[in-house]
Amino acid sequence: MSSEFSRRDFLRYSGASGAAAFIAATLSACSGGPASTGSVGAGSDKDLITAVIGYGNDQSWDPTQTASAFAMAGINHVYEGLLDTDPITREPYPALATALPSDLNATTWTFTLRDGATWHDGQPVTADDVVFTFERVLDPEANVLIGNFFRTWLKEVKKVDEKNVELVFKYAFPDAAPRLTIAKIMPKHVFGQPGAWDQAKGGKAVGSGPYQLAAHNPKSNTAFEAFDGYNGPRPATVKKMNWLTIVDAAARVAKISGGSAEAQIADNIPYANVDQLKQQGLTVEGGKGMNHMFLMFNTGTKPFDDVRVRQALHYAIDKQKMIDVALKGHGTASSSFLNEGHPDHQRASVVYDYDPDKAKALLREAGVTDLTINLMAVNVSWIVDCLPTIAASWEAVGVKTTLEPQDTAALFTKMDQMQDYQAVAAASNPNQFGMDADLILHYNYVPGGLWMKYAHWDGTKDAEKLFAMMDEAGKETDKAQRTELIHKYLDFVAEQAVLYPVVHNELMTAYDPKKLSGVRAQPYPGITLLQAKRT
């Protein structure tokens, strides 16, 4: 995300709803509507999968702009990239393209489109559609969200002929193959029309994937039907899907509970309900990844401009107590910005193990006494469960703490208006977009990026130093050397503690194995049913 991300651009992402709506989506789509009372079909219909999604379906459905958990999961069933990635292993495979690139270090990649690929309206997929999509992705005026994952390394996409396209890189970028799944190819004849991008945001979807949208009712449900014209590698496994949006945890659990349960699968299962659902015969599995609670400090307000204060507040938190009490054991204290288990994970040069004495010493060293903090937070249930541990930990080192959990959109409206604040606790998961370290860091740390503006860190010498380190690593093609450079900038991010994870947590998915097979729990919000079958 190296492009300038202005407030005007940010407002464009979320339209009249304001910037908070977009940020609500980026935070694992935490906001959403009430429990759905509408449904399609019954639990016994073997041509139908009914799913319960714990996030709202009322955010943008424009694949170039959205970070909504619900919309992104749906889009993965409706659209295709040139390459797509397996939702669990994240290994790339040919989707609209016929083959993977033969040389990952080449600076041009040529792709041939799949014979017979058609859009849901019956029109053929062409090279013009690919060029049209990437022109929008790379356009600095459009400044779309996913452009931040491409503009640093991708120069242009050119049409060779009706079935072939060429990607021209600014420099060799071996991580480009999995990155291409983010750029879902869209039909020029549909979305090249005036006002069509606003329609996409509102739920209009015309893809080339195995499922097509049959109905979209924001704050209620989104229904899908198998696309008979699909001839790609992962065809639809059922005729119909109905995804209910139920943000309320109790209502979501009730929908998959008991012998008369209507739904066969639900994501975002509360930790407190795991044993109950297992006792009912459901399979409940966790996905470990980058999902985390982070603390972000306003470095433009004293004393949070002092790195020692930021570090002290991290050292002070009893993370194991938080994991045991709030997360019921389904979490890990952060030892790097990356989660443990990530291929590039290495314990950072500074790890914030629970050390209240060190926290007190750092506060004394910084000359800070009688500190009072108002900690604003999103009201996501598991985040709210973690907040009392933070307050008790900070109080124990002499920091008076008040907690202010609130609706995600409301909190980020305040942030967008640049209202003053001290610290924020929220949830995030860059794995929705991909796995590589460069992508994960660019999700938050980017010149001109909104998170950096919120933290009032953008433009500082330390920020410029970090961005230079990230650029150097991104251009390095030798894997061992690139990994070493990645670890250096991860160490720097840990030391600075501007926006940094406290804990990484598992995301729980429950399903009925007597009614559904082929399910794999995701380590990021949402579900994948591309290989699931009714039994």
Side-chain angles (χ1 to χ4, degrees):
M1 294 186 180
S2 63
S3 62
E4 176 65 20
F5 197 167
S6 70
R7 185 172 183 273
R8 185 187 71 246
D9 294 323
F10 186 59
L11 289 168
R12 186 186 302 133
Y13 285 155
S14 47
S17 298
F22 173 74
I23 282 293
T26 71
L27 297 174
S28 301
C30 302
S31 65
S36 168
T37 55
S39 59
V40 177
S44 60
D45 184 350
K46 291 188 177 181
D47 288 331
L48 168 71
I49 293 178
T50 300
V52 183
I53 311 297
Y55 308 95
N57 72 337
D58 56 345
Q59 303 293 331
S60 175
W61 277 69
D62 176 354
T64 69
Q65 294 282 43
T66 195
S68 158
F70 192 116
M72 288 187 71
I75 283 165
N76 285 337
H77 294 71
V78 172
Y79 289 93
E80 299 176 278
L82 288 170
L83 307 178
D84 278 329
T85 60
D86 182 90
I88 308 302
T89 67
R90 309 312 282 266
E91 287 296 316
Y93 63 88
L96 275 174
T98 57
L100 295 171
S102 57
D103 181 3
L104 295 180
N105 288 316
T107 54
T108 59
W109 291 0
T110 300
F111 291 105
T112 300
L113 299 180
R114 185 176 73 231
D115 284 339
T118 61
W119 300 110
H120 294 156
D121 62 6
Q123 296 295 312
V125 178
T126 70
D128 290 325
D129 298 313
V130 178
V131 172
F132 165 76
T133 299
F134 278 99
E135 282 180 345
R136 177 168 169 81
V137 169
L138 297 176
D139 181 5
E141 284 296 313
N143 195 26
V144 298
L145 169 65
I146 68 167
N148 297 310
F149 301 122
F150 291 91
R151 283 190 289 262
T152 56
W153 55 270
L154 183 58
K155 181 180 179 181
E156 64 177 327
V157 175
K158 299 189 294 186
K159 174 181 176 179
V160 177
D161 55 39
E162 288 301 314
K163 300 292 292 183
N164 292 278
V165 294
E166 184 181 71
L167 276 62
V168 181
F169 295 2
K170 296 177 181 177
Y171 49 82
F173 190 68
D175 287 332
R179 195 75 66 92
L180 289 179
T181 191
I182 302 170
K184 300 302 184 187
I185 306 305
M186 302 181 72
K188 180 179 180 179
H189 70 277
V190 174
F191 294 105
Q193 301 300 314
W197 292 115
D198 286 335
Q199 293 176 331
K201 182 175 67 177
K204 182 172 184 174
V206 180
S208 61
Y211 290 94
Q212 55 190 333
L213 241 58
H216 178 59
N217 304 300
K219 300 193 176 183
S220 174
N221 71 297
T222 300
F224 306 80
E225 292 179 351
F227 174 45
D228 291 338
Y230 178 76
N231 67 345
R234 296 197 174 183
T237 53
V238 292
K239 292 181 180 179
K240 297 175 290 183
M241 298 192 298
N242 187 38
W243 293 13
L244 310 177
T245 172
I246 304 182
V247 178
D248 178 74
R252 186 164 64 254
V253 170
K255 207 73 170 178
I256 60 168
S257 299
S260 60
E262 178 185 341
Q264 299 88 43
I265 183 171
D267 77 341
N268 198 16
I269 297 298
Y271 304 120
N273 296 106
V274 170
D275 290 340
Q276 165 206 341
L277 294 175
K278 285 183 176 180
Q279 290 169 7
Q280 293 180 12
L282 297 183
T283 298
V284 186
E285 296 178 342
K288 295 181 179 180
M290 267 301 297
N291 209 70
H292 62 275
M293 179 182 75
F294 65 81
L295 289 177
M296 178 173 63
F297 295 103
N298 181 353
T299 64
T301 297
K302 292 186 177 298
F304 308 105
D305 59 335
D306 192 321
V307 66
R308 294 170 295 186
V309 175
R310 302 193 297 267
Q311 290 184 343
L313 293 170
H314 274 278
Y315 278 120
I317 298 172
D318 188 344
K319 300 177 186 67
Q320 192 56 52
K321 180 180 178 182
M322 180 184 290
I323 291 165
D324 293 342
V325 175
L327 305 182
K328 310 299 182 187
H330 296 282
T332 305
S334 298
S335 58
S336 166
F337 195 92
L338 301 179
N339 60 293
E340 294 183 7
H342 188 281
D344 286 323
H345 175 273
Q346 175 178 283
R347 280 180 66 87
S349 56
V350 175
V351 176
Y352 297 102
D353 294 323
Y354 179 47
D355 194 340
D357 290 335
K358 188 164 188 174
K360 292 176 183 177
L362 284 167
L363 290 172
R364 284 195 302 270
E365 186 181 324
V368 173
T369 58
D370 301 321
L371 179 59
T372 297
I373 294 181
N374 178 56
L375 178 62
M376 298 198 304
V378 296
N379 64 350
V380 181
S381 57
W382 71 270
I383 294 287
V384 173
D385 290 343
C386 289
L387 296 180
T389 300
I390 297 178
S393 297
W394 286 355
E395 294 274 358
V397 298
V399 177
K400 186 176 180 180
T401 307
T402 58
L403 301 174
E404 193 182 344
Q406 56 199 280
D407 178 77
T408 302
L411 188 154
F412 282 91
T413 294
K414 296 176 184 177
M415 302 289 287
D416 180 54
Q417 294 170 349
M418 296 302 168
Q419 295 182 19
D420 199 19
Y421 79 99
Q422 295 175 300
V424 165
S428 184
N429 195 330
N431 283 168
Q432 290 179 196
F433 293 97
M435 283 284 292
D436 67 89
D438 177 84
L439 179 151
I440 288 170
L441 264 292
H442 275 89
Y443 189 76
N444 294 121
Y445 286 91
V446 55
L450 195 71
W451 296 107
M452 296 294 90
K453 291 181 179 180
Y454 281 164
H456 294 269
W457 201 56
D458 197 36
T460 65
K461 289 184 178 179
D462 286 329
E464 290 175 358
K465 178 180 178 181
L466 172 64
F467 300 146
M469 294 168 72
M470 292 169 65
D471 285 345
E472 182 184 5
K475 294 175 182 177
E476 178 57 61
T477 58
D478 179 80
K479 185 172 177 56
Q481 182 63 23
R482 183 170 72 250
T483 300
E484 183 177 337
L485 293 172
I486 287 170
H487 290 156
K488 284 184 179 179
Y489 71 63
L490 288 171
D491 285 347
F492 191 68
V493 168
E495 293 164 9
Q496 291 297 310
V498 173
L499 187 157
Y500 200 70
V502 176
V503 290
H504 292 96
N505 65 310
E506 281 186 278
L507 293 174
M508 311 305 292
T509 300
Y511 66 95
D512 187 341
K514 295 185 295 294
K515 297 180 180 178
L516 207 59
S517 64
V519 174
R520 297 174 295 167
Q522 290 187 174
Y524 50 98
I527 59 173
T528 176
L529 297 176
L530 289 173
Q531 295 178 305
K533 297 179 180 180
R534 283 299 306 265
T535 56

